[in-house]
Amino acid sequence: MSRLLIAAGNWKMHKTMEEASAYAEAFLPRMRMYRGLEIVVCPPFTALSVLQSAFRGTQVQLGAQNVHWEPQGAFTGEISVRMLQEFGCRYVIVGHSERRHIFRETSEEVGRKVKTLCVFGISPILCVGEKLEERDRGKTYEVVREQLQKGIAHLSPEEARNLVIAYEPVWAIGTGRAATPEDAEEVIRFIREELARAFNPHVAEYVRILYGGSVTPDNVFSFVVQKNIDGTLVGGASLDPSKFLSIVEETERAFIEKSKGA
Ligand code: 13P
């Protein structure tokens, strides 16, 4: 088992073009080549262009934070997959809990977005995760299973190989209260088992599954070193170039650690 790890930053609604440019100027000169991992930055749509230029020829790949499921049409305010392809986006986050809970996106809509992205050869980063009251009621696995099943409902096993999944418990997002690595590993192992049931064991071994929720330079290693956790989706800490660089370094350290055991 040697899945490439991912250190992904979700900037959410932060950073103007000018701020994104300053970030790239601070981040890129301090980078070296990292083994065994991909680095992904998902800025707001308005900063894609400036970062496409800045990241060209580097190890950093671009992602977006949302997409519409239709390739074009009368959908005021929406962005299409082909528009994102123009910026070289390789990843798109879909079904983030902020989209599900603030903007009332349904799992069915998320499933349509996932399908469109896979058809166009872009990797969806499909987010799933339970709310605190669902966890307290012992519903974690039920909620995650439903979000996952609806999210992948339209995919063939071949398309599913493009998938990246992020387990982000809602109560851990932006709270400073991360899940324990053991709890995250257990839910992520469950997600992998569900993928094996939905597709086949080969797809389940292939798909990268990330943890997200209050990831920091100090705790990232403890997550990524887990057998089934293939990286992290980082919000707050990814906004600071020094912290994100440390997260990348720690992810490489976890890769090296995991390679020893492989
Ligand atoms: P924080 O890292 O700020 O908790 O956010 C996590 C997240 O929502 C990433 O998508």
Side-chain angles (χ1 to χ4, degrees):
M1 185 202 65
S2 57
R3 292 181 291 266
L4 263 188
L5 302 180
I6 295 180
N10 172 10
W11 286 7
K12 309 190 179 184
M13 199 174 71
H14 293 286
K15 296 196 190 293
T16 61
M17 278 200 281
E18 198 177 319
E19 289 161 350
S21 199
Y23 184 100
E25 271 169 40
F27 186 77
L28 294 172
R30 294 163 60 191
M31 267 183 69
R32 50 177 176 79
M33 279 304 289
Y34 298 95
R35 283 206 295 143
L37 65 114
E38 293 184 89
I39 305 166
V40 182
V41 170
C42 305
F45 297 130
T46 48
L48 286 172
S49 175
V50 68
L51 291 182
Q52 180 185 28
S53 308
F55 293 158
R56 191 167 285 134
T58 75
Q59 207 184 336
V60 187
Q61 308 195 58
L62 260 191
Q65 298 174 20
N66 192 16
V67 69
H68 195 268
W69 57 81
E70 290 293 342
Q72 60 187 18
F75 302 103
T76 301
E78 293 291 322
I79 293 275
S80 81
V81 67
R82 287 179 50 238
M83 293 167 187
L84 297 178
Q85 276 180 323
E86 285 189 309
F87 295 105
C89 286
R90 301 280 299 276
Y91 293 90
V92 177
I93 298 169
V94 286
H96 191 279
S97 69
E98 286 147 20
R99 301 251 22 122
R100 291 177 191 269
H101 300 124
I102 304 172
F103 301 102
R104 300 274 178 265
E105 256 184 45
T106 66
S107 292
E108 286 77 11
E109 289 166 348
V110 172
R112 295 170 78 178
K113 295 179 178 195
V114 166
K115 172 70 176 182
T116 302
L117 289 168
C118 288
V119 167
F120 280 83
I122 294 185
S123 287
I125 303 179
L126 166 61
C127 300
V128 297
E130 82 286 1
K131 293 189 269 194
L132 186 58
E133 45 109 2
E134 292 165 334
R135 184 177 195 84
D136 288 346
R137 294 196 347 258
K139 300 266 184 210
T140 298
Y141 290 85
E142 206 176 300
V143 169
V144 167
R145 181 195 282 126
E146 201 206 321
Q147 290 176 348
L148 181 69
Q149 283 179 348
K150 292 186 174 158
I152 62 176
H154 308 296
L155 299 185
S156 68
E158 292 69 41
E159 288 168 339
R161 291 166 66 99
N162 286 306
L163 263 180
V164 174
I165 293 168
Y167 169 55
E168 300 205 315
V170 179
W171 47 269
I173 295 177
T175 58
R177 186 188 155 200
T180 66
E182 294 73 22
D183 283 352
E185 166 69 7
E186 204 177 303
V187 178
I188 286 174
R189 183 160 48 83
F190 167 77
I191 292 172
R192 215 176 279 293
E193 287 164 6
E194 286 292 307
L195 290 173
R197 266 190 282 277
F199 301 109
N200 57 55
H202 188 69
V203 169
E205 269 303 296
Y206 191 88
V207 168
R208 271 92 52 87
I209 312 180
L210 317 179
Y211 167 76
S214 297
V215 171
T216 65
D218 293 333
N219 67 17
V220 61
F221 180 86
S222 66
F223 287 105
V224 184
V225 82
Q226 303 289 324
K227 183 165 179 283
N228 284 286
I229 304 185
D230 304 315
T232 52
L233 181 56
V234 187
S238 76
L239 295 172
D240 176 331
S242 302
K243 286 188 186 159
F244 193 52
L245 199 71
S246 303
I247 286 169
V248 169
E249 304 263 353
E250 288 292 282
T251 303
E252 185 189 52
R253 192 162 75 82
F255 170 78
I256 294 165
E257 186 67 27
K258 285 169 111 163
S259 313
K260 285 184 202 155

